[in-house]
Amino acid sequence: MIYLVAAYASAVLILGGYLAWSLRQLSELSRGADRK
Amino acid sequence: MTRYTRLTAAAVLLILVAAALIFVYAPEDYLQKEPQRIFYLHVSAAIAAFACFAVVLVASVVYLRTDSASADRLARAAALVGVVLTTVTLVMGMLYAKAIWGMFWTWDARLTSTLVLWIIYAGYLMLRRLAEPGRQAARFAAVVGIFGFIDVPIVYFSVTWWRTQHPGPVIVNDALPPAMLLTFLVTMACTLFLAAVMVAIRYRIETLMDEAPSAAGVSLPSIAQHEPEPAR
């Protein structure tokens, strides 16, 4: 059971972390582009 | 709420549906018990990574033929998402292996070729970051993107070409009961959608970086700064 939880927790961490980072980067870049 | 936030919300919602199937609907495996549920996302992430690397292959061929900045951007975007998904595959696979085989890692053909796949595309991304920006770097990266794909069929067929600790294909061999097969197919479709959304977001980021690299605070190797996109 511990490996099942660890496997899905790590998947959520990797995919969720990547998505959050991407969306933040996108919103910063979009704001910069709008200001120009 | 932007288009990309809405797409991300839809992808997360679909992944939650897949999670409900994995943890509630799918029956427990008689032999492997609970850890078998790792299989659904582990294999789906691997297939989505293969799809991303196929996009890198096609975009790289298109770039070499047409010098299209969009094709180069798409290759960069798909390579990064492919590496993220391969990381998920490897990490989940290691935990699955520990639960079933009692060890995190063994140098069998499937595991080793998957690690090599990760190294090839991580190298591709490093090349894009470190190489002097310009057409030469983009063309060299495209060649790496094309030849790197050779490892994908090696990963896929490794379990039939060599004797491995990793189990052989269960989907094509009809080895899954209907409820497990349905859970797997839904998870795979949701993961592919998530991968497509991730590539779309990264493609938009690459476009914005190419247009205004100073806005990102980083300098990515970009061919768009050096040459205009050819007229189509």
Side-chain angles (χ1 to χ4, degrees), chain A residues 1 3-4 6-8 10-12 14-15 18-19 21-23 25-26 28-30 32-33 36, chain B residues 4 22-23 34 37-38 41 81 84 88 91-92 95 98-99 194 198 202 204-205 208-209 212 216:
Chain A
M1 185 69 173
Y3 295 111
L4 176 67
Y8 276 94
S10 49
V12 168
I14 296 167
L15 292 172
Y18 173 80
L19 265 174
W21 171 67
S22 292
L23 285 173
Q25 201 177 9
L26 181 62
E28 278 171 15
L29 283 166
S30 303
K36 287 199 165 186
Chain B
Y4 295 100
I22 291 167
F23 291 104
E34 283 293 315
R37 294 180 200 276
I38 296 173
L41 189 59
V81 175
V84 170
V88 171
V91 171
M92 292 191 89
L95 289 159
K98 179 67 180 166
L194 176 70
M198 286 160 76
R202 178 52 45 182
R204 181 70 189 139
I205 290 170
L208 289 169
M209 277 181 166

Side-chain angles (χ1 to χ4, degrees), chain B residues 37-48:
Chain B
R37 294 180 200 276
I38 296 173
F39 158 87
Y40 300 107
L41 189 59
H42 166 64
V43 179
S44 299
I47 290 170

Side-chain angles (χ1 to χ4, degrees), chain B residues 99-112:
Chain B
I100 304 301
W101 304 336
M103 56 190 170
F104 285 108
W105 189 264
T106 175
W107 292 101
D108 95 337
R110 170 58 71 85
L111 278 70
T112 308

